[in-house]
Amino acid sequence: MKVQEFQKFESRAKNLSPLSVRNYVNHLRYLYVWLAGAHDLDETTTEEIIEFLMSERERGVSARTCNIYLTSFRNYFDYLVRFHGLAKNPAANVDKMKVENMLPMYIPEHIMNDLFVNRLVGKSFKALRSRAAIAVMYMSGARCAEVCNLSDMDLNFVENKIFLYGKGRKQRCVPMCSSLQRILREYMEVRNASVKVQEPALFVTVDGFRLGDRMMRVIVAQALCQVVPKKWCHPHILRHSFATVLMNHGKRIQDISRWLGHVSIATTQRYLTICANSEADNFDVVF
């Protein structure tokens, strides 16, 4: 197997984020485990890839996730074709599964208000960290990985801006409302007083090291489970909620698309279908 070489290539030559590369490797590991030692991963056939994806669907994995797996396989075997003499890419002609065009799930505004006013009210380091992390996701539309990658220098309290680094390491700037500024300042004050920060990270562990993606997801789930069903307790629903709130308050779709970092405005237009009204409000009033 050439997985480690592939990992370095995707990271260095393609400049992909560590999270994207780690996901590629994990997907290849799933396929390798499924093969159960029948042969080396590099000898996988088209039929085996199809069978693996079908077995994942039968196991309850969504069609969207299976398509993500397929993308990882295509990239890996394309690497082998280009640099290691593989005759052809066995994943190249495997069709992606049809994905249902589901409306984005979001948490209604009054429930999020209740979460911040009545639930996330502790004053300890961990409590304030949870409140601040969820506030960043909900009030800036940041993805979980983007929040984990934030540093103090990405916050501009003078110009009321937060700088996020999204997919493909593209930078975007989102307005930072007064509510988010207040929550972040309170967290950072307690963090600086109680934790010896070991690296330039906004969100850190009690030992001062950058908070990882897995732990961030646990923090979000523990907070959201107080107000919504378990299936809604994941970071991305806060991104959907951010877009929906802005749409409901009449913000321009072009601005929302830019703040979300969407390549195409067509992606943002999904939120029009669940928009309640079109009365315009100032960004700071929304949150």
Side-chain angles (χ1 to χ4, degrees):
M1 291 190 296
K2 308 295 189 302
V3 175
Q4 288 187 337
E5 295 176 26
F6 167 72
Q7 188 174 1
K8 293 178 181 178
F9 173 77
E10 294 293 296
S11 178
R12 298 174 183 176
K14 289 189 176 181
N15 197 34
L16 294 184
S17 70
L19 180 60
S20 295
V21 175
R22 187 163 64 249
N23 286 338
Y24 282 173
V25 173
N26 285 337
H27 302 160
L28 291 169
R29 185 178 295 114
Y30 300 156
L31 178 59
Y32 179 73
V33 171
W34 180 83
L35 289 170
H39 52 68
D40 190 83
L41 178 64
D42 299 354
E43 299 171 359
T44 305
T45 65
T46 299
E47 291 72 21
E48 286 172 330
I49 291 175
I50 294 173
E51 289 177 16
F52 167 75
L53 295 175
M54 290 175 62
S55 71
E56 289 295 281
R57 285 293 288 138
E58 292 172 358
R59 200 167 60 85
V61 176
S62 70
R64 189 181 301 276
T65 298
C66 286
N67 288 341
I68 294 174
Y69 291 168
L70 181 57
T71 297
S72 299
F73 301 158
R74 285 177 176 173
N75 287 342
Y76 176 65
F77 290 111
D78 180 62
Y79 168 78
L80 296 184
V81 169
R82 294 175 63 188
F83 300 106
H84 291 280
L86 187 67
K88 65 177 182 178
N89 185 335
N93 295 322
V94 178
D95 293 330
K96 285 193 172 184
M97 297 180 183
K98 184 177 180 180
V99 177
E100 294 182 4
N101 188 21
M102 302 292 291
L103 295 178
M105 289 195 307
Y106 69 98
I107 302 176
E109 195 171 348
H110 71 278
I111 293 180
M112 289 303 302
N113 290 340
D114 174 60
L115 179 67
F116 282 109
V117 173
N118 301 315
R119 315 283 181 154
L120 302 178
V121 293
K123 296 299 180 181
S124 67
F125 164 70
K126 287 186 176 181
L128 291 173
R129 183 183 63 184
S130 297
R131 179 181 173 87
I134 290 171
V136 172
M137 294 181 194
Y138 176 58
M139 298 178 187
S140 76
R143 300 177 179 91
C144 184
E146 294 169 348
V147 176
C148 292
N149 290 333
L150 279 174
S151 298
D152 291 8
M153 65 183 67
D154 296 319
L155 309 177
N156 187 329
F157 289 103
V158 176
E159 298 181 6
N160 306 329
K161 297 176 181 178
I162 182 169
F163 294 91
L164 301 169
Y165 296 85
K167 294 180 178 179
R169 300 189 180 181
K170 295 178 181 177
Q171 186 188 56
R172 68 183 188 278
C173 176
V174 181
M176 184 164 50
C177 65
S178 57
S179 295
L180 180 55
Q181 290 185 55
R182 184 175 63 255
I183 291 171
L184 284 172
R185 286 183 186 278
E186 186 177 17
Y187 158 69
M188 293 170 72
E189 182 178 351
V190 172
R191 181 203 63 182
N192 294 341
S194 59
V195 176
K196 184 178 180 181
V197 179
Q198 304 290 339
E199 51 185 311
L202 176 60
F203 294 106
V204 297
T205 65
V206 292
D207 297 320
F209 294 98
R210 184 180 296 275
L211 200 66
D213 182 86
R214 181 175 298 179
M215 188 58 198
M216 184 67 77
R217 291 179 183 276
V218 171
I219 289 172
V220 172
Q222 289 176 341
L224 294 185
C225 72
Q226 301 178 65
V227 292
V228 295
K230 184 177 180 180
K231 68 177 182 179
W232 288 15
C233 297
H234 56 84
H236 215 68
I237 200 168
L238 295 172
R239 179 172 162 85
H240 291 326
S241 301
F242 165 81
T244 306
V245 168
L246 292 180
M247 196 76 74
N248 284 337
H249 283 268
K251 301 306 296 182
R252 294 192 326 135
I253 192 171
Q254 293 87 349
D255 293 331
I256 298 173
S257 184
R258 185 176 71 254
W259 294 330
L260 288 171
H262 286 162
V263 175
S264 170
I265 200 170
T267 306
T268 319
Q269 287 175 334
R270 295 185 304 158
Y271 298 102
L272 285 172
T273 60
I274 52 178
C275 178
N277 62 67
S278 58
E279 295 181 5
D281 280 325
N282 178 275
F283 186 97
D284 204 53
V285 174
V286 175
F287 298 104

